[in-house]
Amino acid sequence: MKSPVSVTYLGGPTIILEIGSLKIMTDPTLDPEGETFHNPTYWKTEGPATTDIGHIDTVLLSHDQHNDNLDNAGRELLKTVRQTLTTHIGAERLQGTAKGLAPWESVTINSPEGDEITVTATPARHGPTGVEKLTGEVVGFLVEVKSDANLQVYITGDTVFYEGVKEVAERFDPQYVFIFAGAAKPRGPFNVTMGTNDAIDTAFAFPKATIIPVHFEGWSHYTETGDMLRQSFKALGIDDRLNILEPGKKTSL
């Protein structure tokens, strides 16, 4: 690996992954606190930890149809980036530089320093079986930085734990897994993102990985907190594998 790799957590589902001078953002949610969205109704309880983000090269967008994954300011950001990778139907809606990927399709990105980065779309299911007609298509991402010791980062996107996540574990061996947690319940009493049980199942599916939760604070429809994740992992004796990032702070991977 030619370049250092770091991550900055902004809140909600939004991180900035830096590989050398290349900056990749997930699911841009950059609106201030108090912004309200409808159908279903939810609102931002916190703004991003920092708005000093500089230029973003690439966006990995799990889906475009929900405002807690792409809000107003996030949509404006997409107009400035070199490329947005998302679902095929999302790319059709967004147009511009958006490119659609189906699960297991890959693209290669090169950093200015010469790092070869492969982004592979991964399956995701945004809730229980049969939920697709309500929530629409979603995708996750496996980011691999090629080197003598490959760095793999798995970003689940909005999904619960199901056979698609298990298949990612069969194909890849990431050192870091960013789970979209929070047990979001915008449409009824069922989760459309990972709750604590899903998080623990994911940890055991990827036994060598550090589990890093995002998407658990900053929006009104998240129902499980970082403290709940800590308590659950501690109860099973795996709390050393959970890393809850400090918002706004750059952390080396």
Side-chain angles (χ1 to χ4, degrees):
M1 196 181 308
K2 297 181 177 68
S3 303
V5 180
S6 64
V7 63
T8 304
Y9 172 49
L10 299 187
T14 310
I15 65 170
I16 300 174
L17 186 65
E18 295 185 57
I19 304 165
S21 59
L22 181 76
K23 297 176 76 172
I24 299 172
M25 179 178 281
T26 64
D27 289 17
T29 55
L30 304 172
D31 282 348
E33 176 184 353
E35 195 71 32
T36 299
F37 301 91
H38 301 281
N39 298 319
T41 298
Y42 45 74
W43 57 92
K44 295 201 75 170
T45 60
E46 299 175 31
T50 179
T51 56
D52 183 18
I53 61 176
H55 177 71
I56 301 297
D57 297 287
T58 299
V59 167
L60 305 182
L61 178 62
S62 65
H63 57 302
D64 69 304
Q65 65 267 28
H66 296 146
N67 294 299
D68 65 318
N69 298 87
L70 182 65
D71 61 15
N72 298 317
R75 287 183 181 274
E76 290 301 310
L77 176 81
L78 296 191
K79 299 174 183 178
T80 71
V81 303
R82 185 183 308 161
Q83 188 173 56
T84 297
L85 302 176
T86 189
T87 61
H88 278 291
I89 192 169
E92 291 177 10
R93 288 189 290 251
L94 292 169
Q95 298 293 308
T97 61
K99 178 179 176 60
L101 295 176
W104 315 124
E105 289 186 322
S106 299
V107 298
T108 299
I109 303 170
N110 292 305
S111 75
E113 292 77 19
D115 301 286
E116 183 179 305
I117 301 147
T118 301
V119 179
T120 302
T122 58
R125 195 183 72 200
H126 202 353
T129 301
V131 79
E132 293 84 356
K133 63 184 179 182
L134 289 177
T135 57
E137 293 183 16
V138 187
V139 72
F141 301 95
L142 194 290
V143 180
E144 184 174 11
V145 185
K146 300 294 178 66
S147 67
D148 292 337
N150 286 356
L151 175 68
Q152 295 183 1
V153 176
Y154 173 34
I155 300 159
T156 67
D158 273 12
T159 188
V160 294
F161 184 82
Y162 78 117
E163 57 269 17
V165 178
K166 293 179 184 178
E167 190 171 356
V168 177
E170 292 168 0
R171 296 186 182 217
F172 296 98
D173 190 21
Q175 292 95 329
Y176 300 94
V177 176
F178 286 82
I179 61 169
F180 282 35
K185 295 180 180 179
R187 297 182 179 274
F190 55 87
N191 294 348
V192 298
T193 59
M194 289 193 183
T196 53
N197 286 7
D198 298 285
I200 290 167
D201 284 338
T202 301
F204 280 98
F206 298 91
K208 299 178 184 177
T210 297
I211 306 300
I212 304 177
V214 298
H215 194 284
F216 63 90
E217 58 189 357
W219 290 82
S220 62
H221 59 305
Y222 300 164
T223 65
E224 293 187 5
T225 65
D227 282 342
M228 292 177 182
L229 285 166
R230 286 191 188 94
Q231 293 168 17
S232 299
F233 274 63
K234 185 174 182 179
L236 293 182
I238 57 171
D239 48 310
D240 60 325
R241 295 189 49 217
L242 182 71
N243 184 9
I244 297 181
L245 300 177
E246 179 182 338
K249 180 182 178 181
K250 184 184 291 189
T251 302
S252 297
L253 297 183

